[in-house]
Amino acid sequence: MPQLSIILPSYNEEQNIENTYNVLSGMLTEQGIDFELIFISDGSRDETYTNICKIAEKDTRVRGAEFSRNFGKEAAIFAGLELSRGKATVVMDCDLQHPPEVVLEMFEEWKKGAEVVEGIKSSRGKESPMHRFTTSVFYGIMSGLIKMDMKASSDFKLLDRKVVDTLVALPEKDTFFRALSFWVGFKTVKVYYDVQERQFGESKWSTGSLIRYAISNVTSFTTFPLKIVSFIGMVFVVFAIGIGIHTLIRFIMGTAVSGFTTVILLLLIIGGLILISLGIIGNYLARVYEEVKGRPRYIISNRTDERQ
Ligand code: UDP
Ligand code: MG
């Protein structure tokens, strides 16, 4: 059993694999740490998996798996957690935006007794203004909803074997790794790092995929939006009783106003709110539906250690 496993989700990262391998294995060998690298190719359409296989053939400390299609980074992280055998496991991006030296810092913290070491961004590095805006709105909402400060958190973490086993045993399929590692608790230590520039290639996130990711994460983590729906419903009931009594009194007294505008406005507002509420409920229903179907989180089509 290696001391340290490093999980590297990779989606169309053919240019990064070899460089990342060289940097990490060089650094860890120098430090005398017994390690394994696990590359998960998330349904890449380029040569990512071929490159992983080439390295795995040369170096038995490297293993890799390929998904049958793109299942997303969350799925890749969980596949890695399931495959990892180390006493401690680090999850990091394979574009080296998470600085490799910080892995050593995390490892030191783990040796001192930490069970979860959170990588916290002290600066976010270069991002487009649109990306910065969407991520800041998303993390603002998320932090409020799940009552944890998510703004600077990332998927860059070290987890003890115990924590990995706990996470892998969770039955839910629709996970949010970043928040789950807070949720499980354990002895947590923070380590700060500056986001580096991507080594090769470009970011795999579009604004659209970030929004989908955001909605899926909120619904998978908290039922707060459902509570807002009932709250708005109650406010409207109180409002309706007031206006109802007022209207009836005016009608009985024969002073009812023609009030066409009011009727139209009320209809539009209430119609809009009902549709939004239905949408929110629908989103949760969709989650339940997905979980109930019990499909696997990901499908592995190839593994480098298949023949063993
Ligand atoms: N990634 C993945 N599946 C995806 C999208 C991204 O496994 O569907 C991986 C990607 O290869 C990288 C990490 O997740 O190792 C972070 O992605 P990226 O660098 O594109 O995001 P950013 O750093 O811009 O947030
Ligand atoms: Mg990146």
Side-chain angles (χ1 to χ4, degrees):
M1 196 160 82
Q3 264 179 312
L4 179 67
S5 299
I6 300 189
I7 298 170
L8 301 136
S10 341
Y11 177 46
N12 295 344
E13 305 275 12
E14 57 182 5
Q15 296 159 301
N16 281 312
I17 303 292
E18 193 174 354
N19 177 47
T20 303
Y21 160 74
N22 288 336
V23 172
L24 287 176
S25 66
M27 181 186 80
L28 294 168
T29 312
E30 194 182 310
Q31 296 290 324
I33 298 172
D34 177 22
F35 69 95
E36 65 170 356
L37 300 184
I38 303 172
F39 286 96
I40 309 289
S41 164
D42 183 10
S44 306
R45 284 182 293 269
D46 62 3
E47 296 299 306
T48 303
Y49 187 65
T50 325
N51 294 355
I52 297 172
C53 289
K54 271 187 217 154
I55 298 172
E57 247 163 57
K58 282 191 302 196
D59 188 339
T60 49
R61 295 171 300 182
V62 176
R63 288 188 292 151
E66 179 177 47
F67 285 175
S68 58
R69 65 168 169 84
N70 181 244
F71 279 92
K73 189 181 175 189
E74 285 290 311
I77 293 176
F78 273 84
L81 291 179
E82 279 171 37
L83 292 176
S84 95
R85 297 182 290 212
K87 294 198 181 101
T89 299
V90 166
V91 175
M92 72 189 283
D93 287 0
C94 78
D95 54 7
L96 291 186
Q97 278 192 290
H98 297 155
E101 322 74 80
V102 178
V103 173
L104 299 179
E105 225 178 293
M106 290 178 156
F107 192 67
E108 284 306 313
E109 292 293 346
W110 173 76
K111 280 206 272 189
K112 280 190 252 160
E115 289 161 321
V116 176
V117 186
E118 298 276 349
I120 305 284
K121 297 174 192 153
S122 42
S123 78
R124 300 190 58 99
K126 272 199 186 145
E127 280 177 333
S128 71
M130 188 62 196
H131 192 143
R132 194 180 296 268
F133 177 74
T134 33
T135 45
S136 86
V137 169
F138 167 55
Y139 285 116
I141 297 174
M142 274 309 279
S143 308
L145 288 181
I146 64 181
K147 299 186 183 61
M148 298 169 191
D149 184 17
M150 302 289 302
K151 268 230 162 77
S153 77
S154 66
D155 289 332
F156 188 23
K157 297 176 201 294
L158 179 146
L159 309 172
D160 183 72
R161 184 79 251 154
K162 270 190 272 182
V163 184
V164 173
D165 291 342
T166 312
L167 285 176
V168 168
L170 292 178
E172 65 197 83
K173 299 285 180 327
D174 192 9
T175 46
F176 185 29
F177 177 64
R178 213 167 279 198
L180 272 179
S181 73
F182 278 103
W183 181 86
V184 290
F186 291 98
K187 213 180 299 154
T188 304
V189 172
K190 290 178 182 164
V191 159
Y192 293 84
Y193 72 96
D194 288 314
V195 178
Q196 307 297 306
E197 285 211 29
R198 199 170 224 290
Q199 289 293 317
F200 302 104
E202 35 189 57
S203 175
K204 305 296 179 287
W205 296 97
S206 61
T207 304
S209 66
L210 270 180
I211 292 173
R212 271 195 302 279
Y213 183 66
I215 293 177
S216 136
N217 287 333
V218 172
T219 46
S220 78
F221 214 82
T222 166
T223 51
F224 189 72
L226 283 177
K227 293 180 191 141
I228 299 183
V229 171
S230 0
F231 177 74
I232 296 178
M234 275 185 290
V235 170
F236 266 79
V237 168
V238 173
F239 187 62
I241 294 175
I243 300 264
I245 294 174
H246 178 247
T247 314
L248 269 181
I249 293 175
R250 304 242 351 216
F251 179 72
I252 293 164
M253 290 167 59
T255 56
V257 278
S258 53
F260 184 68
T261 321
T262 330
V263 174
I264 290 285
L265 280 181
L266 276 177
L267 261 179
L268 290 178
I269 295 173
I270 294 179
L273 280 175
I274 290 178
L275 286 181
I276 292 175
S277 310
L278 276 179
I280 294 179
I281 296 170
N283 253 308
Y284 280 93
L285 195 60
R287 295 283 138 219
V288 176
Y289 173 65
E290 293 295 338
E291 294 286 341
V292 163
K293 275 194 296 189
R295 289 199 184 146
R297 237 178 232 145
Y298 54 82
I299 299 168
I300 290 184
S301 55
N302 287 300
R303 275 174 66 164
T304 56
D305 54 2
E306 240 160 7
R307 276 157 273 123
Q308 288 165 19

